Amino acid sequence: MAEHGHELHRRESHDGRFGAGFDDEIGVGGLGQIGIGLAAACVIAIVIVWLILRGGPESVEGAVETAPATAAEQALAPGPRLQTDPEGEYRQMRRELDEHIHGYGWVDEGTGVVYIPIERAIDLLLEQGVDGRAKTIDAGEAAAEGPGE
């Protein structure tokens, strides 16, 4: 009867749903090896950290204090260059842009390129057309061409 109980236990633990050659139980030996490996890795890590820090913080501070500093290391970095009057600088920038948009001046005097007020540029564009030639279309031609042409 005891043999029959052992047989019953074997059937419950391995029901064959993954195939006859597949063992669906966890092996204790494999888990033990993983545990030993993890413990060894922890011990090695602790030893490495201890070797690094065995002198204590005092030895690290002493090493930093006795390190020779170069002139470049001793010089302080310049602080941020902040605007002293942002509103005034903005007004000055807008004034300069307005003078440029509404005034006349040279872009490149050597090649004869100038800038002109935007209103005048719009008028010249309407008079001369995009390609530089004057376009004159009377009302009869515009009606004959139709909208959008």
Side-chain angles (χ1 to χ4, degrees), residues 78-84 89:
R81 294 180 6 176
L82 302 176
Q83 293 176 309
T84 56
E89 292 175 19

Side-chain angles (χ1 to χ4, degrees), residues 56-121:
E58 297 83 21
S59 65
V60 175
E61 289 173 9
V64 172
E65 291 174 12
T66 59
T70 63
E73 291 173 344
Q74 291 176 351
L76 296 175
R81 294 180 6 176
L82 302 176
Q83 293 176 309
T84 56
D85 183 21
E87 292 83 14
E89 292 175 19
Y90 177 73
R91 284 191 299 271
Q92 175 66 25
M93 180 192 71
R94 289 298 307 166
R95 193 170 27 257
E96 291 170 2
L97 288 174
D98 286 342
E99 289 173 5
H100 185 75
I101 289 173
H102 300 292
Y104 293 89
W106 289 104
V107 173
D108 186 0
E109 193 170 355
T111 60
V113 178
V114 297
Y115 63 87
I116 60 174
I118 189 105
E119 294 85 12
R120 180 67 181 135

Side-chain angles (χ1 to χ4, degrees), residues 5-81:
H6 187 359
E7 184 85 16
L8 181 62
H9 178 69
R10 183 182 288 168
R11 277 193 205 132
E12 288 176 5
S13 65
H14 180 66
D15 58 4
R17 63 184 157 184
F18 299 114
F22 184 78
D23 185 15
D24 56 354
E25 291 187 24
I26 297 174
V28 178
L31 288 177
Q33 290 175 349
I34 291 173
I36 291 171
L38 286 174
C42 289
V43 168
I44 291 171
I46 289 170
V47 168
I48 290 173
V49 169
W50 178 77
L51 288 173
I52 291 172
L53 299 177
R54 74 177 165 184
E58 297 83 21
S59 65
V60 175
E61 289 173 9
V64 172
E65 291 174 12
T66 59
T70 63
E73 291 173 344
Q74 291 176 351
L76 296 175
R81 294 180 6 176

